[in-house]
Amino acid sequence: MKRTSFAQWPCSIARTMDLLGDWWTPLVLRDAFYGVRRFDEFQQALGIARNTLADRLKRLVDEGLLEKVAYQAEPVRYDYVLTEKGRDFYPVLLAMTRWGDKWLATEDGPPITVHHLACGHDTHAEIVCADCGEPMTSDDTRMRRGPGFPPRLARRPDVEARFARQE
């Protein structure tokens, strides 16, 4: 069964899920942040089928989150290195970790801690306003149509109602 593509939806969450919408892709990226760079290392660390891993790595390279860098000529072998676009995914992983630590950790506590080298403390992700620095919650933020929202969709009654509920 072919899945529906969200790549053209006027929603950054939908577009992101179109790229990362399986359970392996975020885990491949997580391991890249752990310093895993080679195909066999990803395969061993994740226990993922080789064909599935090859598909995920190809997609991440094609989308510009990872770059293939040859480390051996005969036969050609590659490291998979995070690009700037890939490194920009780190806060998403931290936010997922924070939510999982709060709602899914066992009574022993979270399985991983995040240590901030700059201040020397174990910490967690916090989503704050880029302008005032205050924490952002669903109670004090609203979603509004941005400049990239398609005008033809903006006039639909269901879309108008969705955004009217946000005001």
Side-chain angles (χ1 to χ4, degrees), residues 100-167:
D101 288 350
K102 180 174 182 177
W103 295 105
L104 304 174
T106 66
E107 54 190 52
D108 293 334
I112 303 291
T113 57
V114 177
H115 185 79
H116 190 221
L117 297 175
C119 72
H121 289 95
D122 287 346
T123 190
H124 60 267
E126 190 73 40
I127 304 299
V128 299
C129 175
D131 287 318
C132 71
E134 290 295 315
M136 295 174 61
T137 69
S138 60
D139 293 333
D140 63 10
T141 57
R142 299 293 178 264
M143 300 291 195
R144 300 180 355 186
R145 286 175 285 228
F149 199 91
R152 65 179 172 71
L153 293 179
R155 293 185 292 275
R156 285 184 13 192
D158 61 316
V159 172
E160 288 178 346
R162 178 186 319 145
F163 288 101
R165 286 191 295 269
Q166 291 286 308
E167 295 175 5

Side-chain angles (χ1 to χ4, degrees), residues 4-5 10 30 35 39 48 53 58 62 64-65 75 78 85-86 88 96 122 125 128 141 149 156 162:
T4 300
S5 173
R30 178 206 63 190
F39 186 96
I48 184 175
L53 177 59
K58 181 181 182 331
D62 290 348
L65 282 85
Y78 298 95
K85 185 176 180 180
D88 269 356
M96 292 170 67
D122 287 346
V128 299
T141 57
F149 199 91
R156 285 184 13 192
R162 178 186 319 145

Side-chain angles (χ1 to χ4, degrees), residues 2-3 9 14 32 37 42 50 62-64 74 79 82 86 96 100 110 113 115 137-138 149 151 162 166:
K2 189 171 191 246
R3 70 177 180 90
W9 279 35
R37 296 174 72 138
F42 282 109
R50 295 179 72 79
D62 290 348
E63 292 292 337
E74 293 288 328
D79 280 338
L82 287 159
M96 292 170 67
T113 57
H115 185 79
T137 69
S138 60
F149 199 91
R162 178 186 319 145
Q166 291 286 308

Side-chain angles (χ1 to χ4, degrees), residues 25-46:
T25 303
L27 295 176
V28 169
L29 287 169
R30 178 206 63 190
D31 278 14
F33 283 105
Y34 280 152
V36 175
R37 296 174 72 138
R38 298 194 174 156
F39 186 96
D40 290 339
E41 293 172 337
F42 282 109
Q43 202 276 322
Q44 182 179 9
L46 294 168

